[in-house]
Amino acid sequence: MDLTYQLSTKFSIYEEMGRQLDEAGWQRTKGTRFHLLLGDRFEIKYNQLLGKESLGAAQLVNYFPKTHLLTLKTALVRRLREQGAEHAWMPESYILMKEDSSAVKESDAADQSLPPWKRKTKVSKDVLEAIEDKKAFSSKGQTSTVWILKPSSGCGGQGIAISNDTKELLALVAKAPGKGMFVAQQYIARPLLLPGGRKFDLRCWVLLTWDFKLYLFSEGSLRTSSTTYNEDYHDLSAHVTNHCLQETLPDYGKYEEGNEMWYSAFSRFLTEEHPSRTLEADVLPQVKHIVLSTFDAVKDLLAVDPATSPYLPFQLFGYDFLIDAAFKVWLLEINGSPASAEKFKTEMVRDILRKSVTRQFPFMDAEVPEGAPHFEPIN
């Protein structure tokens, strides 16, 4: 059987996947009859996939529908709330948006004894929840607690502000263009610091397949700041570690090439500075717990039935975490189209093919070469 795929995205992970498929003898097509779709997650038309009746096998597709429930910050906060359980790894969070006076009036007239998503009103539950959250957030005023404001769909550190004055952050929401949604979260003000007193965050790559098997990549990236951590919260260079911000600074690359540290170097740092702590014992178990908890919250909305679905999805996610001074791991956000570190990209893509595509269309050895970076099952 000639295996075919369609590539309609410029995302580097899937361009690399296309290259590896070409080497393996797959044929690239622009038609609708293909075995694998490597598409753009915002443009995939799931209802137009042909499936078993036409091809004799379900088509594979590189994204799940509805994963915005994880990757939009407001949607994730809302979904975790609806679960009713406490999530100690999620900072205290508030959903904020520009105030709509008519919506506020509708909200005030509704039954206040019910949570926003259960009230009978013409206003959407999302807007109702944002109205309630604004009231609660505004009432905090200026305190010793520090807050970080992030656009719900933002990336690359854009639109972030940090302050202990809720009025200052609400003013930024009010001035924002359009009708954007924001999340205000308690800022983790005592992070674990690297040599030079610098902040970092931890990027972990997670693979989800159609049967809800979850895999964590064996390597990860610490994205580091070049600026000594300080309590000037308007100095984002010390507080926001995204490459998009750090690479614009004069000290970019001063401590690590590309402001990036790998697990091996982090383990050496722990051995030297925190000898009672290890990545394997103190960090990764928390990471795995958080990953499993977030997917448990959306499983009923994402799951497909492999026996009847015309398509079988798989997807790579980027989880961003913060480790605080007490070695507690906090979830920062989840990215639905994460970039891969160049040094791992080839092996990462090869193992995505092993864990997903090869299961449906066997075309390569499913065994991981000894010592190669790979995805490890966590459920």
Side-chain angles (χ1 to χ4, degrees):
M1 177 174 60
D2 290 333
L3 295 171
T4 58
Y5 76 97
Q6 184 183 111
L7 177 66
S8 56
T9 176
K10 293 185 178 180
F11 182 42
S12 63
I13 286 284
Y14 297 115
E15 288 186 330
E16 169 63 19
M17 188 170 288
R19 186 190 69 78
Q20 293 189 25
L21 290 170
D22 290 342
E23 287 185 351
W26 283 60
Q27 300 298 311
R28 183 173 173 180
T29 179
K30 293 184 178 180
T32 59
R33 296 181 60 82
F34 47 78
H35 298 93
L36 167 64
L37 171 61
L38 303 177
D40 184 299
R41 65 175 172 147
F42 300 112
E43 297 179 2
I44 295 172
K45 296 179 174 60
Y46 294 92
N47 61 348
Q48 294 181 14
L49 295 175
L50 300 176
K52 296 179 181 179
E53 291 185 6
S54 176
L55 294 176
Q59 290 174 300
L60 295 180
V61 59
N62 60 326
Y63 288 103
F64 278 75
K66 300 183 181 180
T67 53
H68 67 278
L69 295 169
L70 290 171
T71 60
L72 286 180
K73 300 175 187 69
T74 52
L76 177 60
V77 170
R78 188 176 297 115
R79 185 63 182 167
L80 292 176
R81 283 179 182 174
E82 291 174 356
Q83 297 304 295
E86 289 191 15
H87 301 284
W89 38 263
M90 187 75 168
E92 182 179 352
S93 304
Y94 296 88
I95 299 170
L96 304 175
M97 63 178 293
K98 281 188 176 182
E99 186 170 289
D100 181 329
S101 57
S102 62
V104 172
K105 187 179 294 186
E106 283 271 352
S107 173
D108 290 342
D111 185 349
Q112 301 295 304
S113 67
L114 296 174
W117 57 88
K118 289 186 178 180
R119 294 177 193 166
K120 293 182 179 180
T121 173
K122 295 178 182 178
V123 182
S124 73
K125 66 179 183 180
D126 296 353
V127 173
L128 283 175
E129 195 160 12
I131 291 170
E132 293 300 304
D133 275 19
K134 180 186 175 183
K135 292 176 183 176
F137 186 65
S138 180
S139 68
K140 294 182 178 295
Q142 188 168 355
T143 67
S144 58
T145 301
V146 181
W147 303 93
I148 182 167
L149 181 72
K150 310 175 194 175
S152 178
S153 58
C155 61
Q158 295 182 343
I160 288 177
I162 305 171
S163 177
N164 67 339
D165 187 348
T166 61
K167 290 184 179 179
E168 177 184 349
L169 298 179
L170 286 169
L172 293 175
V173 173
K175 293 177 183 176
K179 296 182 179 180
M181 303 285 286
F182 293 79
V183 166
Q185 293 182 314
Q186 183 173 347
Y187 185 61
I188 310 305
R190 293 189 64 247
L192 180 65
L193 300 177
L194 295 173
R198 299 170 300 120
K199 185 179 174 182
F200 67 94
D201 70 12
L202 174 64
R203 161 59 64 86
C204 297
W205 292 281
V206 174
L207 175 65
L208 174 68
T209 55
W210 56 86
D211 49 0
F212 247 75
K213 289 185 177 180
L214 282 161
Y215 304 85
L216 180 67
F217 198 60
S218 59
E219 296 286 351
S221 167
L222 279 69
R223 300 178 299 181
T224 66
S225 169
S226 301
T227 304
T228 300
Y229 187 78
N230 59 67
E231 293 188 2
D232 176 3
Y233 296 114
H234 293 99
D235 177 14
L236 293 183
S237 67
H239 298 275
V240 178
T241 56
N242 302 68
H243 288 324
C244 295
L245 171 66
Q246 292 294 325
E247 67 186 8
T248 66
L249 303 175
D251 284 338
Y252 178 69
K254 176 181 177 180
Y255 295 92
E256 299 89 19
E257 182 180 355
N259 279 40
E260 206 154 25
M261 179 185 285
W262 315 111
Y263 278 174
S264 57
F266 183 56
S267 292
R268 288 194 296 272
F269 158 73
L270 293 179
T271 299
E272 294 168 3
E273 301 293 335
H274 304 275
S276 66
R277 303 285 192 173
T278 66
L279 175 69
E280 292 76 15
D282 296 282
V283 176
L284 293 182
Q286 295 184 70
V287 165
K288 293 174 184 178
H289 169 71
I290 295 170
V291 170
L292 289 170
S293 298
T294 54
F295 279 105
D296 280 347
V298 298
K299 183 175 181 179
D300 60 326
L301 299 175
L302 297 189
V304 298
D305 182 354
T308 59
S309 176
Y311 63 88
L312 298 178
F314 61 93
Q315 186 167 344
L316 179 68
F317 295 86
Y319 273 67
D320 294 339
F321 300 98
L322 182 76
I323 307 171
D324 70 17
F327 279 81
K328 179 175 179 176
V329 177
W330 298 85
L331 176 64
L332 298 179
E333 62 186 54
I334 305 170
N335 191 308
S337 295
S340 164
E342 279 298 317
K343 68 180 296 182
F344 300 133
K345 184 165 65 177
T346 299
E347 291 299 336
M348 181 182 291
V349 168
R350 188 165 289 135
D351 208 41
I352 292 174
L353 289 172
R354 289 190 192 101
K355 299 293 193 299
S356 57
V357 179
T358 296
R359 288 175 53 198
Q360 181 74 351
F361 303 110
F363 75 98
M364 63 184 292
D365 189 348
E367 294 298 317
V368 179
E370 186 174 353
H374 61 283
F375 286 94
E376 300 171 343
I378 60 173
N379 66 346

